[in-house]
Amino acid sequence: TGISNPLLNKYAIPEVVEALEETSKNLGLASNKVYASLILYPKATSQIAKTILSPVTHMRNFISASFFATANGIIPGPEAIKMAYSALQTPLKGTRKQNEFYRKLLKLGVVNSNVRLGDLQNLLKDVNFGETMTSFNGMRALLKPLSKIKKVSEDLYTAEDDFWKIASWATERSRLGAAYKRAGIEMTEEALELEAADIVKHQIPNYAYVSDFVKELRRWPIGNFVSFPAEIMRTSTNIARRALYEINHTVNGVKPLARIGYQRLVGMGATMAAVPVAATKLGQMIYNVTEDEMEALRRYVADWSKNSTLFPIRTEDGKLKYIDVSHANAYDTVVRPFQTLLNEVGAGRDDEDGMMDDFMRGLFTASGEIVQPFVSESIWTEAAMDIISRKGRSREGYEIYNQDDLPGTKTEKIIRHLVKSQMPFSWEQLKRLDVAIKPVDVIQDRPGPFDEYGQAFEVGDEFAGFVGLRVVDLNPERGLNFKIADFQRVTRNAGRIFKKPSLKGGIVTPEEIVQAYIDANKVLYKG
C-alpha cells in the first residue's frame, strides 16, 4: 500500500521503490503458482480422469447428446446418421470420409464445440498443462504415451457430441426446405444451411456461446464443468422461443413452420417429461412396484438420486433395485417449465411473450438443482475439504479416517482418499465389476465376493453401468445407519445450541434460555 502513496513516492529512493515493486510482483507470481499447483492442477487432472479417461462418461456423453436432438423434435434418419458418422474426425473405421463437409460445418460453428471439453481445455491452458509436466526428459518419455491416449480420448469426446449436432443440422436443413416448399416459398440452399446452423448453435449446448463470466468460473475451486448447466438453461429457453416463433410465424397469411414448431415443442415435452415419467411407470408395471414402495424407495436412495427419475426393479427374492436414468437426460432438472408450456399451447393460448414470461419464472423456480455445479466444491476441492474442514468425513457423511487412528494409518487413508479423486478409467466401477466376477478378485486382492463394506455386486448390473445405466441395490439396513448418524449429528448440534447461553459465563436471563430451547428444537425439527 505504501507504493501507491504520493508522499512516499516523492521522497523515496527510486532504487528502493523499484525493489519493492519487483518484490510485490514476485510475491504475486509466487501466490499464483501456489494456487495453480494446489488447486487448479489437481482440479484439471481430476476432471481429465472423470471425463475423457472414463469409459462410463464417454457413453453418458454420447447418450445424453442424443437428447439434444430429440428435445428439438428430431429423430435422425439413416441418411443423416450416415452423413454424421462419415464426417467425424476420429481414428475409427469409416470416419474422416467427408473432411470438406466437416470444414464447412466448422466454419458455420456447428461442430467442435463440446461444452465440457471446452471448459477442460481452457483450464489446462490456464495451468500450462503438458508444458510444465514435460519439462524434464524423464517425465517427457514417461508421459508421451499418456499424451496420445489423452488426444484420442479428446477426439472421441468431441465426436460423440459432433455426431448428434451434424445429424441435427442435416435434419433441420431437410425439414426447413420441405416446409418452405410446401408453403411456396423459395429458399436458396445456402440460406437453408445458415438457418439450420443457427438453430443448432443456439439450441444445442455450444461452448462458443458461454458467457465470459461463466467461463472464468473454471479457475475457481468450486464447480465442475459449470458451463454445461449454463448452456442447458440457455438452450432450453431458446428451444421454447424457437418453437413458439415457428408456430406463430406468418408469411402471406401462411404459417410455413408451424408443423416444425409443434414437433419441436412435443419433442421437448417428451424428452423432459413424458419419457422420464414413462420410464418410472414402465418399471412399476413390469416389476409390480406400488406407489407406496416407490415413495419408500426414494427415502433410502443416495442424496443425489432423491429427485431423479428412477426405474424400479424387483429381484426374484422380492428385493428392490433401481436405475437412476436422470444421469442420461441432461434436461432432467428443467422438466416442469416445459410441461406448463405444453399445457398452455394445448389450451390454445397464443400470447408468445406472456407464455415466455411464465416459462422463465418456472425455469428459475426449478433452478435449485441446476445451480449446484456453480456453487458446490470441485472434485479435488471436495476431497481436500473432507480432510481439512470436515475432519475425515465426506460431504455425505462417510468416514474417511477416524480421529483416533494412529498417525501412520490416518496418513495412509488421507492419501488414498486424495488419490481416489484423481483415478481415471471409472476406477470405482472397475472395482465393483471385479468383485462381481466371482470368485476372481484381481484389483482389490481380497478373497470372497464382497467388497470392504460387505457389499456384493452382480455382473450384469455393473456392466450396465458402463453405458450410464447402473443397477443399484437398495440397502435399507445400510441406509438406516447413515440416517442414525445424521440424527445423532443433528442432536449434538441442537444440544450445543441449547447449552451455549449457559456456558458463556456471566449473567444469563431466563429469556435467553427459553430462546435457546426454541432454537435447539427448530434445529431438531428441521433435521
Side-chain angles (χ1 to χ4, degrees), residues 192-266:
L192 290 173
E193 289 179 354
L194 287 171
E195 187 171 359
D198 190 66
I199 292 171
V200 172
K201 286 188 294 185
H202 291 289
Q203 289 164 217
I204 295 178
N206 188 312
Y207 193 66
Y209 293 90
V210 178
S211 70
D212 290 338
F213 171 76
V214 173
K215 286 180 179 178
E216 284 299 311
L217 292 178
R218 71 178 183 273
R219 303 172 188 263
W220 292 27
I222 59 172
N224 295 302
F225 305 106
V226 295
S227 296
F228 187 74
E231 275 298 277
I232 290 298
M233 295 180 73
R234 182 185 75 89
T235 55
S236 299
T237 304
N238 287 344
I239 290 172
R241 174 68 75 185
R242 175 74 191 188
L244 293 177
Y245 163 78
E246 289 167 335
I247 290 169
N248 296 299
H249 178 58
T250 305
V251 179
N252 298 327
V254 179
K255 295 182 177 180
L257 304 177
R259 182 188 298 182
I260 298 175
Y262 283 115
Q263 287 175 347
R264 200 179 305 281
L265 205 56
V266 170

Side-chain angles (χ1 to χ4, degrees), residues 20 25 44 88 122 140 161 212 231 233 235 250 276 285 288 290 322 339 378 382 414 430 437 448 463-464 502 507 517:
L20 288 172
K25 180 181 177 182
L88 296 179
N122 277 335
R140 190 182 298 119
D161 191 58
D212 290 338
E231 275 298 277
M233 295 180 73
T235 55
T250 305
M285 182 181 70
N288 194 26
T290 67
Y322 66 91
Q339 188 60 51
S378 69
E382 181 180 345
I414 288 172
L430 287 173
I437 302 174
F463 269 121
S502 302
I507 298 172
Y517 178 77

Side-chain angles (χ1 to χ4, degrees), residues 255-317:
K255 295 182 177 180
L257 304 177
R259 182 188 298 182
I260 298 175
Y262 283 115
Q263 287 175 347
R264 200 179 305 281
L265 205 56
V266 170
M268 194 58 178
T271 301
M272 286 188 158
V275 172
V277 170
T280 299
K281 295 301 180 184
L282 180 64
Q284 287 185 252
M285 182 181 70
I286 293 174
Y287 294 101
N288 194 26
V289 178
T290 67
E291 289 296 332
D292 287 341
E293 286 177 312
M294 281 300 300
E295 186 178 338
L297 184 148
R298 285 192 179 277
R299 288 203 295 269
Y300 288 96
V301 299
D303 287 343
W304 54 83
S305 294
K306 287 189 182 299
N307 298 319
S308 297
T309 300
L310 304 180
F311 183 90
I313 298 172
R314 193 191 300 277
T315 61
E316 292 182 359
D317 58 0

Side-chain angles (χ1 to χ4, degrees), residues 416-483:
R416 187 192 308 165
H417 182 65
L418 295 176
V419 169
K420 183 179 173 182
S421 72
Q422 306 289 318
M423 291 300 290
F425 308 118
S426 309
W427 186 252
E428 290 302 311
Q429 195 128 10
L430 287 173
K431 282 167 60 177
R432 290 193 296 268
L433 181 62
D434 180 44
V435 173
I437 302 174
K438 307 167 185 176
V440 181
D441 194 332
V442 178
I443 296 175
Q444 303 189 85
D445 191 27
R446 183 181 296 107
F450 302 99
D451 70 359
E452 59 184 312
Y453 302 108
Q455 298 180 102
F457 304 100
E458 297 294 331
V459 174
D461 294 351
E462 297 311 314
F463 269 121
F466 281 92
V467 295
L469 298 173
R470 179 175 172 250
V471 181
V472 182
D473 191 4
L474 190 67
N475 192 334
E477 295 89 350
R478 192 162 179 260
L480 198 58
N481 290 333
F482 292 115
K483 289 184 180 297

